[in-house]
């Protein structure tokens, strides 16, 4: 039975875990878990006052053990001492909160403990009958076994808590990635409706062309505002101002309410007209809103001596709305693309942190695999899936013991069996993300062998998903070429000799053939890789060299 001690005046509850006013509930939970693993009577008390806050049974520790308690209060690590009469006394600080100490007893031998030998250790609150009744309930345990039991209980509890924290962290990251993916799907729909693949300037030119055909005005201009690039002007027709003049004109209406287009007519004899000779009338509409303003569209000098009316103003406003929606969609889409890749890289960084010797491995594999996929003339969407799957192909190692991942020597059979679980662990984590189903085959099956001797599913030949066959070659290339703490990286000639011998056995011959067709690009890619330019889709130098396409983001 496990009991929690309550301060006077604080009512107990039916729960076996009930914190006092100043005792953290988490500490009490930890103590009860520890006491349950230990299986010995023990109590938890405050180091500074000696006040008992929880115990494993009503009589787990003799009451009033003031002399012994003073010894316990000063402990800084696990201590097991032998008291008179072969009574074993153990004390240890609570790892999660050093303000609390755990104390308990065991019997070193089966013979009854003579009260006369230990009476001096306690105050007079216990007589011999009470002591003997308590002593009979104390389990017998050798000192050496007791020390190991205490250490094992602490380590088991620490391991359980670490696993629980890891599961919570993985669940949190999974939810965030799923949320980001759902948002990206929504943005993809908007992109399709607004032809998101079209450059902003191209869409703006089309808008100006449509404006010219519908409104017979002297000229129009679209001004884009960008924090990084500054203002960009797309003029059309004859305008009574240059770029600097347009900036001055827009500054005049800086504090205008842009919920509706601004219309100004009959400007011949106005202050504005005198500042901009030749300006007769105009319509200005904001591209975007106050929170996200992307620029302005201005139409001026309606021909025929007529004024701008609501119809023309509404049309200009509608075009500005189209441009604003397009710009907003691009911004949000790019942000969510970056968010997804950031989440992926956060997971990869977490994995890299577990083993500094393989840092950058996943991203290099992603670069190499995508280049091989390009050589196989795969669709852009397939290349993107291969890239993401490669980034996450070793995600399951987050569930493998760090000591195994960083072991410098040969793994034991048991250790290698744990390593072989990482494709299944990664698959299990990512399969909860319903919008990343397309990358799962690469994560699960990148360690399959073409002859069926791989793992985890022992797939053979064409039964192995193509994505996994490509990642397998890229993964093997990086593993063989890269230096490891227990060996130097192989020369490229040796690696390619192994590829030749393993084609049809370990690897898909067609993928090996694609590797050799792209071998020069892959060598340049590998040699020029650094963690700062690892993302091939943002790597402009590689894009401009022709090794990769010049796209700037996942689409």
């Amino acid at each position: 039975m496990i009991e929690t001690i309550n301060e006077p005046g604080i009512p107990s509850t039916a729960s076996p875990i009930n914190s006092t006013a100043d005792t953290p509930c988490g500490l009490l939970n930890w103590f009860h878990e520890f006491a349950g693993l230990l299986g010995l009577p023990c109590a938890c008390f405050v180091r500074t006052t000696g006040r008992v806050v929880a115990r494993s049974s009503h009589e787990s520790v003799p009451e009033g053990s003031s002399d012994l308690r003073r010894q316990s209060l000063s402990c800084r690590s696990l201590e097991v001492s032998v008291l008179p009469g072969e009574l074993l006394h153990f004390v240890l600080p609570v790892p999660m909160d050093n303000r609390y100490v755990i104390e308990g007893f065991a019997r070193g031998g089966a013979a009854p403990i003579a009260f006369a030998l230990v009476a001096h250790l306690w105050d007079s609150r216990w007589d011999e009958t009470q002591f003997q009744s308590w002593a009979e309930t104390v389990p017998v345990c050798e000192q050496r076994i007791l020390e190991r039991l205490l250490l094992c209980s602490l380590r088991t509890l620490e391991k359980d808590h670490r696993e629980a924290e890891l599961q919570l962290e993985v669940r949190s990251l999974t939810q965030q990635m799923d949320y980001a993916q759902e948002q990206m799907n929504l943005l993809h729909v908007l992109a399709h409706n607004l032809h998101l693949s079209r450059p902003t300037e191209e869409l703006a030119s089309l808008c100006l062309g449509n404006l010219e055909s519908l409104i017979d005005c002297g000229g129009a201009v679209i001004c884009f505002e960008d924090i990084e690039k500054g203002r960009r002007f797309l003029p059309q027709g004859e305008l009574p101002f240059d770029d600097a003049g347009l900036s001055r004109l827009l500054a005049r209406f800086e504090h205008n309410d842009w919920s509706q287009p601004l219309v100004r007519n009959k400007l011949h004899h106005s202050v504005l007209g005198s500042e901009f000779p030749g300006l007769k009338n105009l319509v200005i509409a904001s591209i975007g809103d106050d929170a996200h303003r992307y620029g302005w569209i201005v139409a001026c000098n309606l021909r025929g001596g007529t004024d701008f009316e609501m119809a023309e103003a509404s049309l200009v406003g509608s075009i500005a709305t189209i441009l604003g929606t397009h710009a907003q969609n691009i911004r949000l889409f790019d942000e969510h693309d970056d968010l997804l890749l950031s989440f992926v890289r956060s997971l990869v960084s977490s994995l890299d942190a577990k083993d500094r010797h393989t840092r950058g491995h996943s991203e290099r594999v992603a670069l190499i695999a995508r280049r091989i996929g390009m050589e196989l003339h795969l669709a852009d969407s397939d290349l993107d899936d291969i890239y993401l799957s490669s980034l996450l192909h070793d995600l399951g190692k987050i569930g493998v013991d760090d000591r195994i991942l960083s072991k410098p020597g040969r793994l034991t059979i048991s250790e290698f069996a744990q390593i072989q679980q990482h494709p299944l662990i990664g698959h299990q984590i990512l399969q909860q993300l319903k919008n990343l189903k397309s990358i799962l085959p690469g994560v699960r099956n990148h360690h399959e062998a073409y002859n069926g001797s791989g793992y985890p599913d022992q797939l053979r030949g064409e039964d192995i998903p193509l994505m996994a066959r490509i990642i397998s070659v890229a993964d093997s290339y990086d593993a063989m070429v890269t230096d490891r703490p227990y060996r130097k990286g192989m020369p490229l000639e040796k690696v390619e000799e192994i590829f030749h011998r393993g084609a049809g056995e370990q690897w898909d011959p067609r993928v090996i053939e694609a590797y050799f067709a792209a071998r020069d690009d892959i060598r340049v890619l590998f040699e020029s890789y650094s963690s700062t330019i690892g993302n091939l889709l943002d790597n402009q130098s590689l894009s401009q060299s022709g090794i990769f396409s010049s796209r700037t983001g996942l689409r």
Side-chain angles (χ1 to χ4, degrees), residues 493-545:
E493 295 78 8
K494 177 65 174 176
V495 172
E496 294 185 343
E497 178 185 342
I498 293 174
F499 275 162
H500 277 303
R501 292 202 312 267
E505 291 292 325
Q506 179 69 31
W507 301 286
D508 180 352
R510 187 162 66 98
V511 178
I512 291 295
E513 182 180 349
Y515 158 77
F516 279 101
R519 62 191 295 268
D520 292 338
D521 286 351
I522 291 174
R523 178 181 56 79
V524 172
L525 181 157
F526 182 85
E527 293 175 352
S528 61
Y529 170 83
S530 73
S531 59
T532 58
I533 62 169
N535 178 8
L536 79 90
L537 299 177
D538 292 334
N539 188 345
Q540 294 301 313
S541 62
L542 292 177
S543 297
Q544 293 167 5
S545 71

Side-chain angles (χ1 to χ4, degrees), residues 163-182:
E163 289 180 353
E165 290 174 356
L166 181 60
Q167 290 176 358
L168 287 175
E169 182 180 354
V170 169
R171 189 178 301 116
S172 175
L173 287 172
T174 298
Q175 291 173 348
Q176 293 180 58
M177 290 181 66
D178 202 23
Y179 171 79
Q181 186 65 24
E182 291 289 346

Side-chain angles (χ1 to χ4, degrees), residues 444-501:
R444 182 183 180 97
N445 297 120
H446 65 277
H447 278 296
E448 303 288 354
Y450 201 71
N451 63 6
S453 63
Y455 61 89
D457 300 316
Q458 291 77 51
L459 300 180
R460 180 187 297 271
E462 300 294 320
D463 291 338
I464 304 172
L466 178 58
M467 175 188 299
R469 283 178 268 153
I470 293 173
I471 295 174
S472 176
V473 172
D475 188 26
S476 299
Y477 178 94
D478 188 78
M480 289 189 286
V481 173
T482 305
D483 292 338
R484 294 295 168 85
Y486 50 88
R487 62 155 174 82
K488 292 288 291 181
M490 295 183 188
L492 186 57
E493 295 78 8
K494 177 65 174 176
V495 172
E496 294 185 343
E497 178 185 342
I498 293 174
F499 275 162
H500 277 303
R501 292 202 312 267

